[in-house]
Each structure stands twice: as C-alpha cells, then as structure tokens.
Amino acid sequence: MWIELPNLWIAILNCLGIPAAHLLVSWWASALPSSRFHPDSLLFRHRLWERGGSFYQKVFRVRSWKHRLPDAATWFGGIAKRRLESTGRRYLETFAIETCRGEFAHWLQILVISGFILWTPWPYSPVIIAYALLSNLPCVINLRHTRIRLLDLLGKRFGSFHDPAAPL
C-alpha cells in the first residue's frame, strides 16, 4: 500500500471505484474510432500457439462457458456478440473489429483495477489483482477465440479481412 487511507475510505473507493472502472473503461473504449482496432495489429493478431482458436477450446473449454459471460457492448452502442446476426462480409468484419475493441477494454480494465492496490493494504491487495484477472481474462479468452474463428470464416468465404469502413 503506497497511499495511506482510513479503512472506510478504502472500502468506499474499492466498492464504488471498481465497478466504475469497468464501466468507464468500456465507455471510453467504445468512443474510440474503429480504425484503432484492426485484427492484424500487434495486440490483436492471431498467434501461432493459438492454433486457429483450438488452444482456447482444448485448454479452457471456452465453448462450455462462454454463453455465461455478460456482454455490455450494447450499453455503449456496440454490437451484441452472443451470436451471429448475419454472415455478410461487412457484418463479420465489424464483429471482428468489435472483438478487438472488447479485448482492448478488458486488458485496460485489468490494468486500471490493479491500480487499486495503491491504497489497498496487504493481505487484500492480491485479492484486487485476482479480481482484476478473474473478471476480465475469461472475456479476453472468449473474444480472441471468437475473432480467430470469425477471421477464418471471412478467409474461407471472402478471401481476407477488409476494413468495413473502406469501400468494397
């Protein structure tokens, strides 16, 4: 703990600040232009070890629990990611970009919420880190798994990813 606060203030900051961090980071990420979230960029590109998304199914059994994850994207003007609404090129490409946006928001939430250890004393500070990871990593795993499968579908149907904001 680097910032000394009374226990009541720590409880108030954590109980109100952590949910606010989830919402504010998501809101901010939703306001960023889609051009910042390209599936081939360094953070979002498919890695060899992901094996076309099968890594997430084999190791985490993602298909058995992904339906239980909340999807707040529609709260901020995004598209729902629970199921495909279309198999059209523009929709699939927009969906892939939105998985990048969601992944970015969840990585950022991990960082922001982990910052709450600045005033949270030991032995509670590891609980903050664990919460930040456990509340966001399942979403990251699901978003990466989904995006890899979407890009594979796009490749099979249309040859490659094409920015949906650009003319066809």
Side-chain angles (χ1 to χ4, degrees), residues 22 40 55-56 66 76 89-90 104 107 110-111 114 120 125 128 133-135 140 154-155 158 164 168:
H22 281 292
D40 289 333
F55 169 82
Y56 297 111
K66 69 180 187 173
F76 305 104
R89 183 177 189 152
R90 286 196 188 260
F104 171 76
W107 283 121
I110 290 171
L111 291 174
S114 294
T120 305
S125 50
I128 298 293
L133 293 170
L134 291 172
S135 66
V140 169
L154 275 162
F158 304 107
L168 285 177

mmCIF file of all heavy atoms in Angstrom, residues 22 40 55-56 66 76 89-90 104 107 110-111 114 120 125 128 133-135 140 154-155 158 164 168:
data_model
loop_
_atom_site.group_PDB
_atom_site.id
_atom_site.type_symbol
_atom_site.label_atom_id
_atom_site.label_comp_id
_atom_site.label_asym_id
_atom_site.label_seq_id
_atom_site.Cartn_x
_atom_site.Cartn_y
_atom_site.Cartn_z
ATOM 1 N N HIS A 22 -14.819 -0.522 -14.488
ATOM 2 C CA HIS A 22 -15.339 -1.385 -15.559
ATOM 3 C C HIS A 22 -16.146 -0.562 -16.558
ATOM 4 O O HIS A 22 -15.943 -0.654 -17.772
ATOM 5 C CB HIS A 22 -16.250 -2.480 -14.982
ATOM 6 C CG HIS A 22 -15.531 -3.637 -14.376
ATOM 7 N ND1 HIS A 22 -14.799 -4.534 -15.112
ATOM 8 C CD2 HIS A 22 -15.470 -4.067 -13.095
ATOM 9 C CE1 HIS A 22 -14.311 -5.463 -14.313
ATOM 10 N NE2 HIS A 22 -14.701 -5.200 -13.078
ATOM 11 N N ASP A 40 -5.325 -7.371 -37.421
ATOM 12 C CA ASP A 40 -3.940 -7.729 -37.737
ATOM 13 C C ASP A 40 -2.916 -6.898 -36.968
ATOM 14 O O ASP A 40 -1.720 -7.074 -37.165
ATOM 15 C CB ASP A 40 -3.683 -7.569 -39.249
ATOM 16 C CG ASP A 40 -4.384 -8.641 -40.051
ATOM 17 O OD1 ASP A 40 -4.613 -9.741 -39.516
ATOM 18 O OD2 ASP A 40 -4.712 -8.365 -41.217
ATOM 19 N N PHE A 55 -6.590 -23.848 -29.298
ATOM 20 C CA PHE A 55 -5.925 -23.763 -27.992
ATOM 21 C C PHE A 55 -6.930 -23.402 -26.898
ATOM 22 O O PHE A 55 -6.942 -24.003 -25.832
ATOM 23 C CB PHE A 55 -4.796 -22.728 -28.045
ATOM 24 C CG PHE A 55 -4.234 -22.383 -26.697
ATOM 25 C CD1 PHE A 55 -3.297 -23.194 -26.096
ATOM 26 C CD2 PHE A 55 -4.658 -21.243 -26.020
ATOM 27 C CE1 PHE A 55 -2.788 -22.888 -24.838
ATOM 28 C CE2 PHE A 55 -4.159 -20.928 -24.776
ATOM 29 C CZ PHE A 55 -3.217 -21.754 -24.179
ATOM 30 N N TYR A 56 -7.789 -22.412 -27.175
ATOM 31 C CA TYR A 56 -8.742 -21.942 -26.167
ATOM 32 C C TYR A 56 -9.793 -22.992 -25.840
ATOM 33 O O TYR A 56 -10.259 -23.077 -24.707
ATOM 34 C CB TYR A 56 -9.400 -20.640 -26.635
ATOM 35 C CG TYR A 56 -8.391 -19.532 -26.800
ATOM 36 C CD1 TYR A 56 -8.066 -19.046 -28.047
ATOM 37 C CD2 TYR A 56 -7.745 -19.001 -25.694
ATOM 38 C CE1 TYR A 56 -7.128 -18.044 -28.198
ATOM 39 C CE2 TYR A 56 -6.806 -18.005 -25.832
ATOM 40 C CZ TYR A 56 -6.495 -17.528 -27.083
ATOM 41 O OH TYR A 56 -5.560 -16.547 -27.220
ATOM 42 N N LYS A 66 -18.748 -19.915 -22.413
ATOM 43 C CA LYS A 66 -18.805 -18.559 -22.987
ATOM 44 C C LYS A 66 -20.206 -17.955 -22.968
ATOM 45 O O LYS A 66 -20.351 -16.744 -22.871
ATOM 46 C CB LYS A 66 -18.227 -18.538 -24.397
ATOM 47 C CG LYS A 66 -19.039 -19.266 -25.437
ATOM 48 C CD LYS A 66 -18.365 -19.164 -26.782
ATOM 49 C CE LYS A 66 -19.228 -19.741 -27.867
ATOM 50 N NZ LYS A 66 -18.649 -19.492 -29.174
ATOM 51 N N PHE A 76 -23.102 0.564 -24.659
ATOM 52 C CA PHE A 76 -22.257 1.658 -25.134
ATOM 53 C C PHE A 76 -22.305 1.808 -26.651
ATOM 54 O O PHE A 76 -21.404 2.375 -27.242
ATOM 55 C CB PHE A 76 -20.818 1.425 -24.666
ATOM 56 C CG PHE A 76 -20.705 1.246 -23.178
ATOM 57 C CD1 PHE A 76 -20.513 -0.008 -22.627
ATOM 58 C CD2 PHE A 76 -20.836 2.325 -22.316
ATOM 59 C CE1 PHE A 76 -20.439 -0.184 -21.256
ATOM 60 C CE2 PHE A 76 -20.764 2.167 -20.951
ATOM 61 C CZ PHE A 76 -20.560 0.904 -20.418
ATOM 62 N N ARG A 89 -20.304 -10.072 -45.295
ATOM 63 C CA ARG A 89 -18.919 -9.636 -45.108
ATOM 64 C C ARG A 89 -18.785 -8.450 -44.159
ATOM 65 O O ARG A 89 -17.992 -8.479 -43.234
ATOM 66 C CB ARG A 89 -18.303 -9.310 -46.467
ATOM 67 C CG ARG A 89 -16.852 -8.912 -46.359
ATOM 68 C CD ARG A 89 -16.240 -8.675 -47.714
ATOM 69 N NE ARG A 89 -14.810 -8.519 -47.547
ATOM 70 C CZ ARG A 89 -13.928 -8.821 -48.466
ATOM 71 N NH1 ARG A 89 -14.313 -9.298 -49.634
ATOM 72 N NH2 ARG A 89 -12.648 -8.651 -48.240
ATOM 73 N N ARG A 90 -19.531 -7.381 -44.397
ATOM 74 C CA ARG A 90 -19.400 -6.184 -43.551
ATOM 75 C C ARG A 90 -19.745 -6.476 -42.094
ATOM 76 O O ARG A 90 -19.083 -5.987 -41.187
ATOM 77 C CB ARG A 90 -20.257 -5.044 -44.088
ATOM 78 C CG ARG A 90 -19.670 -4.425 -45.333
ATOM 79 C CD ARG A 90 -20.309 -3.075 -45.614
ATOM 80 N NE ARG A 90 -19.870 -2.588 -46.898
ATOM 81 C CZ ARG A 90 -18.912 -1.681 -47.049
ATOM 82 N NH1 ARG A 90 -18.307 -1.175 -46.017
ATOM 83 N NH2 ARG A 90 -18.570 -1.281 -48.259
ATOM 84 N N PHE A 104 -9.373 -5.031 -25.994
ATOM 85 C CA PHE A 104 -8.636 -3.861 -25.518
ATOM 86 C C PHE A 104 -9.226 -3.345 -24.205
ATOM 87 O O PHE A 104 -8.500 -3.058 -23.254
ATOM 88 C CB PHE A 104 -8.668 -2.757 -26.587
ATOM 89 C CG PHE A 104 -8.131 -1.442 -26.128
ATOM 90 C CD1 PHE A 104 -6.765 -1.234 -26.005
ATOM 91 C CD2 PHE A 104 -8.992 -0.395 -25.795
ATOM 92 C CE1 PHE A 104 -6.269 -0.016 -25.566
ATOM 93 C CE2 PHE A 104 -8.504 0.819 -25.360
ATOM 94 C CZ PHE A 104 -7.143 1.013 -25.248
ATOM 95 N N TRP A 107 -8.303 -5.735 -21.308
ATOM 96 C CA TRP A 107 -6.901 -5.600 -20.880
ATOM 97 C C TRP A 107 -6.712 -4.304 -20.083
ATOM 98 O O TRP A 107 -6.027 -4.285 -19.051
ATOM 99 C CB TRP A 107 -5.957 -5.607 -22.082
ATOM 100 C CG TRP A 107 -5.708 -6.948 -22.694
ATOM 101 C CD1 TRP A 107 -5.959 -7.317 -23.981
ATOM 102 C CD2 TRP A 107 -5.140 -8.100 -22.059
ATOM 103 N NE1 TRP A 107 -5.593 -8.625 -24.182
ATOM 104 C CE2 TRP A 107 -5.081 -9.126 -23.022
ATOM 105 C CE3 TRP A 107 -4.683 -8.365 -20.765
ATOM 106 C CZ2 TRP A 107 -4.584 -10.401 -22.740
ATOM 107 C CZ3 TRP A 107 -4.188 -9.641 -20.486
ATOM 108 C CH2 TRP A 107 -4.141 -10.637 -21.460
ATOM 109 N N ILE A 110 -8.045 -4.597 -16.576
ATOM 110 C CA ILE A 110 -7.102 -5.305 -15.700
ATOM 111 C C ILE A 110 -6.084 -4.321 -15.139
ATOM 112 O O ILE A 110 -5.810 -4.311 -13.929
ATOM 113 C CB ILE A 110 -6.404 -6.459 -16.449
ATOM 114 C CG1 ILE A 110 -7.402 -7.582 -16.735
ATOM 115 C CG2 ILE A 110 -5.203 -6.986 -15.648
ATOM 116 C CD1 ILE A 110 -6.878 -8.668 -17.666
ATOM 117 N N LEU A 111 -5.537 -3.470 -15.999
ATOM 118 C CA LEU A 111 -4.535 -2.504 -15.549
ATOM 119 C C LEU A 111 -5.116 -1.481 -14.576
ATOM 120 O O LEU A 111 -4.531 -1.201 -13.523
ATOM 121 C CB LEU A 111 -3.922 -1.776 -16.750
ATOM 122 C CG LEU A 111 -3.038 -2.612 -17.657
ATOM 123 C CD1 LEU A 111 -2.616 -1.809 -18.874
ATOM 124 C CD2 LEU A 111 -1.826 -3.113 -16.900
ATOM 125 N N SER A 114 -6.148 -3.096 -11.241
ATOM 126 C CA SER A 114 -4.943 -3.472 -10.489
ATOM 127 C C SER A 114 -4.317 -2.277 -9.795
ATOM 128 O O SER A 114 -3.674 -2.412 -8.759
ATOM 129 C CB SER A 114 -3.923 -4.140 -11.415
ATOM 130 O OG SER A 114 -4.431 -5.367 -11.887
ATOM 131 N N THR A 120 -4.906 -0.243 -1.206
ATOM 132 C CA THR A 120 -5.438 -1.443 -0.566
ATOM 133 C C THR A 120 -4.317 -2.158 0.177
ATOM 134 O O THR A 120 -3.322 -2.560 -0.435
ATOM 135 C CB THR A 120 -6.070 -2.388 -1.616
ATOM 136 O OG1 THR A 120 -7.060 -1.652 -2.342
ATOM 137 C CG2 THR A 120 -6.702 -3.590 -0.961
ATOM 138 N N SER A 125 -4.571 -6.678 -1.081
ATOM 139 C CA SER A 125 -4.123 -6.242 -2.407
ATOM 140 C C SER A 125 -4.046 -7.396 -3.413
ATOM 141 O O SER A 125 -4.436 -7.206 -4.574
ATOM 142 C CB SER A 125 -2.811 -5.471 -2.320
ATOM 143 O OG SER A 125 -1.862 -6.166 -1.561
ATOM 144 N N ILE A 128 -7.402 -7.889 -4.994
ATOM 145 C CA ILE A 128 -7.713 -6.919 -6.050
ATOM 146 C C ILE A 128 -7.137 -7.398 -7.382
ATOM 147 O O ILE A 128 -7.833 -7.387 -8.413
ATOM 148 C CB ILE A 128 -7.163 -5.513 -5.699
ATOM 149 C CG1 ILE A 128 -7.795 -4.974 -4.417
ATOM 150 C CG2 ILE A 128 -7.308 -4.551 -6.870
ATOM 151 C CD1 ILE A 128 -9.268 -4.660 -4.516
ATOM 152 N N LEU A 133 -7.987 -9.954 -12.751
ATOM 153 C CA LEU A 133 -7.701 -11.011 -13.718
ATOM 154 C C LEU A 133 -8.907 -11.918 -13.949
ATOM 155 O O LEU A 133 -9.280 -12.196 -15.092
ATOM 156 C CB LEU A 133 -6.503 -11.838 -13.246
ATOM 157 C CG LEU A 133 -5.159 -11.110 -13.222
ATOM 158 C CD1 LEU A 133 -4.114 -11.938 -12.513
ATOM 159 C CD2 LEU A 133 -4.721 -10.747 -14.623
ATOM 160 N N LEU A 134 -9.521 -12.375 -12.864
ATOM 161 C CA LEU A 134 -10.628 -13.333 -12.988
ATOM 162 C C LEU A 134 -11.882 -12.729 -13.610
ATOM 163 O O LEU A 134 -12.684 -13.440 -14.223
ATOM 164 C CB LEU A 134 -10.953 -13.942 -11.627
ATOM 165 C CG LEU A 134 -9.886 -14.876 -11.062
ATOM 166 C CD1 LEU A 134 -10.215 -15.284 -9.628
ATOM 167 C CD2 LEU A 134 -9.710 -16.101 -11.947
ATOM 168 N N SER A 135 -12.063 -11.427 -13.467
ATOM 169 C CA SER A 135 -13.252 -10.796 -14.049
ATOM 170 C C SER A 135 -13.043 -10.395 -15.506
ATOM 171 O O SER A 135 -14.012 -10.082 -16.196
ATOM 172 C CB SER A 135 -13.677 -9.576 -13.230
ATOM 173 O OG SER A 135 -12.701 -8.563 -13.305
ATOM 174 N N VAL A 140 -11.429 -11.960 -22.351
ATOM 175 C CA VAL A 140 -10.339 -11.872 -23.328
ATOM 176 C C VAL A 140 -10.212 -13.197 -24.082
ATOM 177 O O VAL A 140 -10.105 -13.225 -25.311
ATOM 178 C CB VAL A 140 -9.006 -11.490 -22.643
ATOM 179 C CG1 VAL A 140 -7.831 -11.660 -23.596
ATOM 180 C CG2 VAL A 140 -9.063 -10.068 -22.105
ATOM 181 N N LEU A 154 -14.211 -15.554 -42.510
ATOM 182 C CA LEU A 154 -14.038 -14.500 -43.518
ATOM 183 C C LEU A 154 -13.070 -14.941 -44.617
ATOM 184 O O LEU A 154 -13.316 -14.700 -45.802
ATOM 185 C CB LEU A 154 -13.528 -13.213 -42.866
ATOM 186 C CG LEU A 154 -14.584 -12.308 -42.268
ATOM 187 C CD1 LEU A 154 -13.963 -11.322 -41.297
ATOM 188 C CD2 LEU A 154 -15.343 -11.579 -43.363
ATOM 189 N N GLY A 155 -11.976 -15.571 -44.202
ATOM 190 C CA GLY A 155 -10.990 -16.043 -45.174
ATOM 191 C C GLY A 155 -11.570 -17.086 -46.112
ATOM 192 O O GLY A 155 -11.319 -17.069 -47.324
ATOM 193 N N PHE A 158 -14.602 -15.041 -48.160
ATOM 194 C CA PHE A 158 -14.324 -13.834 -48.938
ATOM 195 C C PHE A 158 -12.847 -13.638 -49.276
ATOM 196 O O PHE A 158 -12.493 -12.656 -49.911
ATOM 197 C CB PHE A 158 -14.831 -12.598 -48.182
ATOM 198 C CG PHE A 158 -16.295 -12.685 -47.841
ATOM 199 C CD1 PHE A 158 -16.689 -12.918 -46.547
ATOM 200 C CD2 PHE A 158 -17.253 -12.539 -48.822
ATOM 201 C CE1 PHE A 158 -18.045 -13.003 -46.212
ATOM 202 C CE2 PHE A 158 -18.614 -12.624 -48.509
ATOM 203 C CZ PHE A 158 -19.004 -12.851 -47.203
ATOM 204 N N PRO A 164 -14.332 -2.698 -42.881
ATOM 205 C CA PRO A 164 -15.713 -2.400 -43.260
ATOM 206 C C PRO A 164 -15.998 -0.917 -43.488
ATOM 207 O O PRO A 164 -16.978 -0.564 -44.120
ATOM 208 C CB PRO A 164 -16.553 -2.942 -42.093
ATOM 209 C CG PRO A 164 -15.617 -3.060 -40.956
ATOM 210 C CD PRO A 164 -14.244 -3.256 -41.542
ATOM 211 N N LEU A 168 -15.887 -1.253 -50.705
ATOM 212 C CA LEU A 168 -15.533 -2.592 -51.234
ATOM 213 C C LEU A 168 -14.990 -2.545 -52.623
ATOM 214 O O LEU A 168 -15.033 -1.875 -53.444
ATOM 215 C CB LEU A 168 -16.763 -3.512 -51.198
ATOM 216 C CG LEU A 168 -17.139 -4.023 -49.824
ATOM 217 C CD1 LEU A 168 -18.421 -4.857 -49.902
ATOM 218 C CD2 LEU A 168 -16.045 -4.877 -49.250
#
